Amino acid sequence: MTPKQRRRLSRAVQYVVIAAVVAVLAAVADWGQIADSFFRLDLAAAMFPAVWTPFWNTIVYTLLAFVFGMIVGVPIALMRVSSFGPYRWFARVYVEIFRGLPALLVLFLVGYGVPQAFPGIQYPGGVYGQVAIGLGLTSSAYIAESVRAGIQAVPEGQVEAARSLGMSHTRTMITVVLPQALRIVIPPLTNELVMLTKDSSLVFVLGVTTATMELTKFARNELTANANATPLLVGGLLYLLLTVPLSILARRLETRGDAR
Amino acid sequence: MTSNGTTEPEPLVRIRGLRKRYGDNEVLRGIDLDLAEGEVVCLIGPSGSGKSTLLRCVNLLETPSGGTIVAAGHDMTDPDADLDAARREIGMVFQHFNLFSHLSILDNVAIAQRRVLKTPRSEAEAEARRRLAEVGIEGKERSRPAQLSGGQQQRVAIARALAMGPKLMLFDEPTSALDPELVGEVLAVMKGLAAEGMTMLVVTHEMSFAREVADRVLFLDGGVIVESGPPAEVLTAPKTERAQSFLHRVLHPVD
């Protein structure tokens, strides 16, 4: 057999195997049962318009955590590239901790650990404040690493040019380095937004009401109430409605970044 | 410092015993150099001779390992020196232009005036336009650096440095990264600047520029100044064997 023939044969075998697997699944599956579990249009329709509240909450939680992550993450990134040792070490430890801990555990810590340790503590905005900090801490570690990479990707010559014009170190950072670094960092930050959108599904552990419920919790309640999985499918589609455009945007920004 | 010349004007740059080492590698091994106001000095020499390091020490982009530097009235090597204030008066032009890639051409020239000198925006931009016109860049104010040719970018970089009103200009191989046909436009701008009386320290491989424009040429090799004198002397009749062989290699690369 020539290599070409061998390649063809192997490809043919793969097609046959895939076709066989699909055929077996189709024959064995109870299509009526599947349709009943996932595609009950009446149940899907009944979720509206109530589903818009948790949908909106998912967006709000994501953005709150992202804003908190930026507010904390950018200074951490600056500390990470600082010439002052203790800043670098602190930032390093911070990043390692919050990148290494599960988001769920951090959320528990913020939601239950901190209030226990500091009785009487009130988060601003109630559950919204808890979410911003609880999810934002994890996010800030990832954002800090992305921004640090962006800062280090700005050519040294840009800094030298700024310093040679009499700009101070801080002035150079604000005027020259950060604007260029943030541009480099937009695609990874968009990905972070996608991750946060999904992580917002953890918020239910804080104990949420109808008004503060996020999408996964809402879908799960509907699942339990109807003993049917259709609400999960609707919830999943609504997540994709948020994350797919973000992914496409991230890819666009990435290719445009290359062109420059 | 010296007490001999009371009538002699203070030099704009005074370098004494300048040393720079990276680990075990001593790049500058005791440089003494004075630049009078309005003087144009070209630094030539083989790569690794320390000429770029010397230039970068003048505005302390490189920190000297030893020696003293006084430039434009600032004691650069004093640990308490306000380097930012000193650098405002010392313009620098880089081999790779280093224009701010996220800013328009106009902003590139105006930004330091606005952020460092706190010049109002309208005033800074008017000055930027004047400086751009001076280097022959017009109608490109809204363009990004990447949209300009190398020669145009380098002329913008010169305008950017000039906009701060420097007393001294440092040029670090300003034409080495340019396509050959773009070298002339940059050298022409530098020549005009020299004619206006700007004090200039230029690291260059353009021997014709050095011959025509420089008041003095320094030949560096192995971290020391090997020869120094008027271009006619150093470039045409070098005394040392090292300078002779370097110049021969530069002027007759094919032999």
Side-chain angles (χ1 to χ4, degrees):
Chain A
M1 246 192 300
T2 67
K4 196 174 178 183
Q5 282 170 320
R6 202 176 307 145
R7 224 170 20 241
R8 262 194 209 152
L9 181 70
S10 131
R11 186 60 52 85
V13 169
Q14 289 174 39
Y15 279 132
V16 169
V17 169
I18 292 169
V21 168
V22 170
V24 167
L25 282 179
V28 169
D30 181 342
W31 287 104
Q33 180 69 35
I34 292 176
D36 260 0
S37 302
F38 286 111
F39 304 106
R40 286 272 300 277
L41 283 181
D42 55 324
L43 289 181
M47 292 170 73
F48 292 87
V51 74
W52 292 125
T53 302
F55 179 72
W56 176 244
N57 282 337
T58 293
I59 296 174
V60 170
Y61 290 148
T62 303
L63 290 180
L64 280 175
F66 186 73
V67 168
F68 182 89
M70 285 292 282
I71 291 172
V72 176
V74 171
I76 293 287
L78 290 174
M79 290 166 85
R80 207 64 169 81
V81 298
S82 166
S83 55
F84 185 53
Y87 281 166
R88 277 202 312 277
W89 302 324
F90 174 81
R92 184 78 196 270
V93 169
Y94 180 93
V95 167
E96 291 301 342
I97 288 176
F98 287 107
R99 205 173 45 171
L101 292 179
L104 188 57
L105 188 141
V106 177
L107 212 51
F108 275 128
L109 273 178
V110 169
Y112 301 109
V114 172
Q116 206 166 46
F118 305 93
I121 196 171
Q122 287 288 328
Y123 286 100
V127 72
Y128 292 101
Q130 287 183 352
V131 172
I133 298 169
L135 289 179
L137 282 172
T138 305
S139 187
S140 68
Y142 285 98
I143 288 174
E145 279 302 273
S146 296
V147 172
R148 177 191 60 82
I151 288 172
Q152 288 174 340
V154 175
E156 184 59 26
Q158 298 282 312
V159 175
E160 290 186 348
R163 298 308 300 272
S164 79
L165 289 165
M167 289 190 200
S168 67
H169 177 77
T170 311
R171 172 54 64 201
T172 299
M173 269 289 166
I174 295 170
T175 311
V176 176
V177 177
L178 276 183
Q180 295 190 30
L182 288 179
R183 207 157 304 195
I184 296 168
V185 150
I186 283 174
L189 287 188
T190 316
N191 284 329
E192 178 57 26
L193 215 43
V194 171
M195 303 302 288
L196 268 177
T197 305
K198 298 186 295 175
D199 283 353
S200 70
S201 66
L202 302 171
V203 166
F204 80 92
V205 303
L206 296 175
V208 287
T209 65
T210 322
T212 59
M213 202 176 280
E214 56 18 269
L215 206 42
T216 301
K217 172 72 172 165
F218 179 81
R220 210 180 56 161
N221 284 356
E222 294 286 304
L223 165 85
T224 319
N226 300 301
N228 187 282
T230 304
L232 291 183
L233 195 83
V234 173
L237 286 174
L238 287 175
Y239 275 110
L240 292 180
L241 196 66
L242 294 174
T243 54
V244 171
L246 278 174
S247 299
I248 293 171
L249 181 70
R251 199 164 329 139
R252 282 245 180 100
L253 293 168
E254 232 160 299
T255 44
R256 200 202 292 172
D258 290 345
R260 259 187 213 150
Chain B
M1 252 205 238
T2 47
S3 53
N4 56 341
T6 42
T7 51
E8 195 132 314
E10 190 73 5
L12 195 64
V13 177
R14 164 161 288 174
I15 299 172
R16 288 290 176 273
L18 175 62
R19 290 177 178 276
K20 175 67 184 176
R21 60 162 71 243
Y22 300 99
D24 286 341
N25 183 20
E26 192 158 39
V27 182
L28 295 176
R29 299 187 296 156
I31 301 278
D32 296 323
L33 172 62
D34 281 358
L35 246 77
E37 206 171 326
E39 200 178 11
V40 177
V41 171
C42 283
L43 299 172
I44 64 169
S47 68
S49 60
K51 52 196 192 306
S52 279
T53 307
L54 167 55
L55 194 79
R56 291 161 58 85
C57 278
V58 174
N59 66 351
L60 247 72
L61 278 189
E62 301 286 347
T63 312
S65 312
T68 58
I69 300 169
V70 177
H74 299 269
D75 189 349
M76 306 297 287
T77 39
D78 177 352
D80 297 326
D82 183 352
L83 290 181
D84 295 333
R87 286 174 181 145
R88 277 173 227 157
E89 303 184 338
I90 305 172
M92 184 155 195
V93 175
F94 300 86
Q95 180 176 358
H96 295 287
F97 333 132
N98 299 359
L99 292 181
F100 302 130
S101 55
H102 64 302
L103 296 178
S104 70
I105 295 304
L106 189 66
D107 285 341
N108 259 281
V109 185
I111 191 79
Q113 298 175 67
R114 285 168 53 199
R115 297 282 184 263
V116 177
L117 303 178
K118 309 292 178 197
T119 313
R121 185 185 187 126
S122 58
E123 218 173 288
E125 292 189 346
E127 170 71 5
R129 283 176 208 280
R130 269 197 300 278
R131 293 299 185 178
L132 284 170
E134 216 174 287
V135 299
I137 303 281
E138 271 158 308
K140 300 279 187 192
E141 286 83 357
R142 293 278 145 237
S143 304
R144 293 291 163 130
Q147 295 170 297
L148 269 57
S149 75
Q152 290 172 326
Q153 287 190 53
Q154 194 58 299
R155 285 185 284 146
V156 172
I158 295 173
R160 176 176 68 176
L162 290 177
M164 298 296 283
K167 295 176 178 164
L168 163 70
M169 286 285 284
L170 309 173
F171 291 85
D172 190 2
E173 301 199 27
T175 59
S176 296
L178 296 176
D179 289 336
E181 79 270 23
L182 303 177
V183 168
E185 61 191 62
V186 172
L187 292 182
V189 167
M190 291 168 61
K191 199 172 153 184
L193 205 53
E196 283 168 27
M198 177 62 75
T199 313
M200 294 162 61
L201 189 55
V202 185
V203 172
T204 188
H205 294 293
E206 297 295 333
M207 296 305 155
S208 57
F209 175 83
R211 192 181 314 256
E212 203 179 332
V213 181
D215 298 307
R216 202 147 43 102
V217 174
L218 306 184
F219 173 72
L220 261 77
D221 195 14
V224 293
I225 297 174
V226 178
E227 282 200 42
S228 163
E233 229 169 75
V234 176
L235 295 178
T236 320
K239 292 191 218 51
T240 59
E241 196 274 325
R242 279 193 282 181
Q244 283 164 12
S245 85
F246 169 74
L247 284 164
H248 184 81
R249 270 179 282 132
V250 171
L251 299 173
H252 310 281
V254 190
D255 292 8

